[in-house]
Amino acid sequence: MFSWLKKEGEKTESIENVVEGLKRIYKTKLLPLELHYQFHDFHSPQLEEPDFDAKPMILLVGQYSTGKTTFIKYLLERDFPGIRIGPEPTTDRFIAVMFDEKEGMIPGNALVVDPKKQFRPLSKFGNAFLNRFQCSTVNSPVLRGISIVDTPGILSGEKQRVDRGYDFTGVLEWFAERVDRIILLFDAHKLDISDEFRRSIEALRGHDDKIRIVLNKADMIDHQQLMRVYGALMWSLGKVLQTPEVARVYIGSFWDQPLRYDVNRRLFEDEEQDLFRDMQSLPRNAALRKLNDLIKRARLAKVHAYIVSELRKEMPSMFGKDGKKKDLIKNLGQVYDRIQREMQISPGDFPDIKKMQETLANHDFTKFHPLKPKLLEVVDNMLATDIAHLMDMIPQEDINIVAEPLIKGEPGDPLTAALERLHVKRGFLEGGAFEGVEDQVSPFGYGRGEGVDAGHGDPEWICSKEKPHYDQIFQGLNPCDGKVTGAAAKTEMVKSKLPNSVLGKIWKLSDIDKDGFLDDEEFALAMHLIRVKIDGHDLPSELPPHLIPPSKRN
């Protein structure tokens, strides 16, 4: 039955990449353990090849009219098939927005039978769900790197939850296990967390590392109201998330309309850049995320095997099976405690006790298998050896990305140009709203014309504006042969109250000719860089060409 175990000592085939390695070790080492102890009936369906090959996915969750669909439009900078936007609950279905050169919509029933898509296990939620599930295919460079899943707006009240006709939180759990990011959106005018929204957030537990929280439509209120709204949101989240850490909340207004209150424009720009940079790294970190999820799955499968075999061992051989089964389910917490002590397993590795009790009620304990140490040894070896080998391969894969052949379209095609930039950036997202993250061309790019970049493109050296003032200070330091010593410059520079490490960096950037002295232009540059740092901007590692004093330029 377990003939594959005999191959354990044989020489393993070479693994070309991390994803292929994950497929192989899952099928040969983890899947047999899952099948033997009915893991798929209790926790998660069997993984198929599309689960490993799929692009990174982003799941958007929030109450109705919080801007989920508009957020997708903002990222893509265009509409997608099936889009509906309005203040009322408009999105009534799960929409997977994915890349395809041919644009259109694929209904749910057709989607779950497509062997190339990762949605086949969703068929278990029935026609009521599949009629509310579709895929919108869009020819967008953004979707070359990721897929995005839009969800129905979460309503308030028990009636609306029942009327969905399918297990809404169950579908969210399925997606949460497989996506790379979960973005929870809140409306600045609608901070109440309804019963269904609370259940939805609770369904996402165990995936805290994937969750990002966005306070959307923040431009609709002024800065004083925003401070109060932010505090109220943090208070509400603290009661639902039940974690001692403070959740990271991104504040912004993710649409392409004028800001109503632009007093917080800079804050919105900073927050948007942080969120987009986080999302932009998803394609590059996709293999690492799949590796992490497989490790979590393997640990859960091991614990499940211990639980099931322990329940089988406790069952009587002849009479009183039904009573014993009820007693074991009722006292499942004691079984958990016993396994924790005997196997030295952390409590955090155990499945939710209530869900486990509900599922166990529908199973015959006498049909469970006793513990087979050999199966567990194979999984332990997988975690100790194979996973470590794949971890070592991930940095090399990042290096090899640029060596992969690039499939090009027609010459001059904007999509091809975007793909070429994506190729050079080695796995980072490009196109759509992500163009602005690294915009160094237009004057509207993030940080353009501010801090160190101020004066870029100007015909006049930026330090010339304040140089008469800096010259007065320079002359007060008693220069010799037109230069001041480091000790003399230090007496003025320390007045900024910046740390010595920062002032040392400023000195190195300003001493262009590296002679240990500063002339009047170099001193003016040093004072300018001090002002840049005091204003809250970062210093460059190398001096940009536009900051080099005119007399020092080649």
Side-chain angles (χ1 to χ4, degrees), residues 220-320:
M220 305 301 288
I221 52 179
D222 61 32
H223 60 283
Q224 184 180 18
Q225 292 171 325
L226 180 61
M227 179 185 67
R228 299 183 187 280
V229 164
Y230 179 80
L233 175 61
M234 298 302 291
W235 182 82
S236 299
L237 286 172
K239 300 190 72 173
V240 177
L241 296 178
Q242 296 179 355
T243 57
E245 298 85 5
V246 177
R248 170 70 160 96
V249 177
Y250 297 89
I251 303 170
S253 188
F254 296 91
W255 68 340
D256 57 3
Q257 300 301 310
L259 300 176
R260 182 174 177 184
Y261 291 98
D262 67 346
V263 66
N264 294 312
R265 172 189 285 272
R266 182 54 192 263
L267 170 66
F268 299 159
E269 290 176 356
D270 292 344
E271 295 286 281
E272 180 179 295
Q273 289 292 310
D274 288 349
L275 179 60
F276 281 7
R277 284 199 176 98
D278 178 73
M279 295 167 62
Q280 206 176 24
S281 65
L282 291 180
R284 193 172 187 180
N285 296 327
L288 189 59
R289 196 275 302 171
K290 291 184 174 79
L291 194 68
N292 183 59
D293 284 354
L294 190 70
I295 294 170
K296 287 165 61 176
R297 187 182 180 99
R299 292 168 68 92
L300 179 60
K302 280 182 58 183
V303 172
H304 175 77
Y306 286 127
I307 295 171
V308 167
S309 58
E310 182 71 18
L311 294 174
R312 173 68 181 86
K313 188 174 71 174
E314 294 293 324
M315 289 296 288
S317 56
M318 296 292 290
F319 303 107

